[in-house]
Amino acid sequence: MQPSVASSVIFVLLILSILHVNSISSLSSCRSQCGATAIKYPFGIDDGCGAPHYRKMLNCSGDLFFQTPSGNYKVKSIDYDKETMVIYDPSMSTCTMLQPHHDFILSEIQSVVTPPTSDSIFVLLNCSIDSPILNHYSSLCFNFSGHSCDELYSACPSFRIFHLGYNATTAGYPPCCFTGYNTVKYMSMNILDCSHYTTVYNTDGLKGIGPLDWAYGIKMSYSVPNSGCERCQRSGGTCGYDTETEMMLCICSSFNNSTRDCGK
Ligand SMILES: *[C@@H]1O[C@H](CO)[C@@H](O)[C@H](O)[C@H]1NC(C)=O
Ligand SMILES: *[C@@H]1O[C@H](CO)[C@@H](O)[C@H](O)[C@H]1NC(C)=O
Ligand SMILES: *[C@@H]1O[C@H](CO)[C@@H](O)[C@H](O)[C@H]1NC(C)=O
Ligand SMILES: *[C@@H]1O[C@H](CO)[C@@H](O)[C@H](O)[C@H]1NC(C)=O
Ligand SMILES: *[C@@H]1O[C@H](CO)[C@@H](O)[C@H](O)[C@H]1NC(C)=O
Ligand SMILES: *[C@@H]1O[C@H](CO)[C@@H](O)[C@H](O)[C@H]1NC(C)=O
């Protein structure tokens, strides 16, 4: 064999082995980052990664999205110490932007494993006088940190339109309501009979702060299953699950998954 032939054979073999290694490592890779957001247990963006309860909840397509039956919401942040996640609906109305309403719906499993926190408040706006929250269910409405929902009609440029267009003998503002997630969980926007809603989080700290400066979005607390993931992580593995049985797997390498840990 001539030296140049030998070296090109070696070169080809080298390329092949690199391709081989790459294709194998991509089999077992669980991405640990999406954009600027770290992806850690119990979340996963690749099937088989993270905890099975969180399967298909996150979607990484450039940005990180939280997928629900009512649409994909942008994930603003995940706090792994406090075990909370803040999501944001780009098509939701805020104090500065009016958009057509749509419902906020979590799947059954999501409302159990990632329920909105009690300091995430749903603001129902431009409700009809026949709305259940003005009648049978008026006890579901409350004020918080010294704020009443009427304030949004005057303080928010986007909500002034409700005031202007409103013709009622009673007051200048159509009815509104601050309420919790359970209200919108059990009654859709159509039943509530309110044309718009917005959501605010971290409401405990909003005393004396006007609606223009509130944080709009939904904060949810998530639960971490007690499934022995720490043992797997300590042994250098990544926690995942078998995509068929959804039994926990400790992903060690593409050659060797184990049920508990990666040995030494
Ligand atoms: C290990 O688990 C990962 C993730 O479920 C899977 O992609 C891979 O094929 C598994 N490897 C083996 C050898 O079972
Ligand atoms: C992920 O979310 C984006 C944004 O909503 C959407 O366009 C895309 O189709 C989703 N991808 C999958 C696989 O569901
Ligand atoms: C407010 O609600 C009424 C129905 O109660 C609706 O006709 C009206 O269009 C809504 N206002 C806006 C600006 O959407
Ligand atoms: C909220 O505050 C407003 C204005 O102070 C008051 O009129 C209203 O009755 C309060 N609502 C509730 C549910 O306490
Ligand atoms: C409000 O509605 C009533 C009944 O439809 C009507 O008679 C009245 O002129 C309206 N007022 C204004 C200011 O549009
Ligand atoms: C796979 O991992 C286990 C430890 O969990 C170890 O006992 C076994 O030898 C490993 N197998 C291979 C082929 O590396």
Side-chain angles (χ1 to χ4, degrees), residues 48 64 67 88 110 151:
L64 186 61
Q67 311 194 117
Y88 174 73
Q110 283 171 334
E151 224 180 301

Side-chain angles (χ1 to χ4, degrees), residues 58-61 63-67 71-73:
L58 295 183
N59 152 355
C60 180
S61 43
D63 283 318
L64 186 61
F65 293 93
F66 181 73
Q67 311 194 117
N72 291 353
Y73 299 85

